[in-house]
Amino acid sequence: VQLVESGGGLVQPGGSLRLSCVASGFTFSRSMITWAKGLEPVATINGAGGITTYADSVKGRFTISRDNAKNTVYLQMNSLKVEDTGVYRCRVALRGDIYRGQGTQVTVSS
């Protein structure tokens, strides 16, 4: 199982970023994927992509989506705030284990 995140960076408050998570080694299209900041879940999407959930702190600003043909999950982050700063990782639970990527750093600062 491998998860590789990208797309982080330094952005000013109010700006946008789009994170990507490319997955391999498991049946991607059947797996729920979560984006987390540190250990805090931010957004989750089911395998088919039709069901999404968000932390209250990001509702209306972040959008999670996926492209099963590319084994990729995205996190579109708009109206970024200083408190969104952190390392963002995607993760998947498989057979009782949780797998995470190395993460991508998001820094929101003026």
Side-chain angles (χ1 to χ4, degrees), residues 12-86:
Q12 292 185 341
S16 298
L17 286 172
R18 188 174 84 151
L19 308 184
S20 298
C21 168
V22 180
S24 61
F26 61 99
T27 307
F28 182 78
S29 61
R30 296 183 181 179
S31 301
M32 178 178 294
I33 305 293
T34 296
W35 278 103
K37 185 181 73 170
L39 296 179
E40 176 191 357
V42 170
T44 298
I45 189 166
N46 73 328
I51 300 174
T52 57
T53 59
Y54 298 91
D56 287 343
S57 59
V58 307
K59 281 181 182 176
R61 300 188 298 121
F62 291 10
T63 302
I64 189 170
S65 62
R66 66 192 296 158
D67 184 340
N68 286 345
K70 295 181 179 180
N71 275 22
T72 303
V73 175
Y74 305 97
L75 185 67
Q76 178 67 43
M77 312 167 73
N78 297 330
S79 301
L80 281 161
K81 303 177 180 180
V82 172
E83 51 264 41
D84 294 321
T85 294

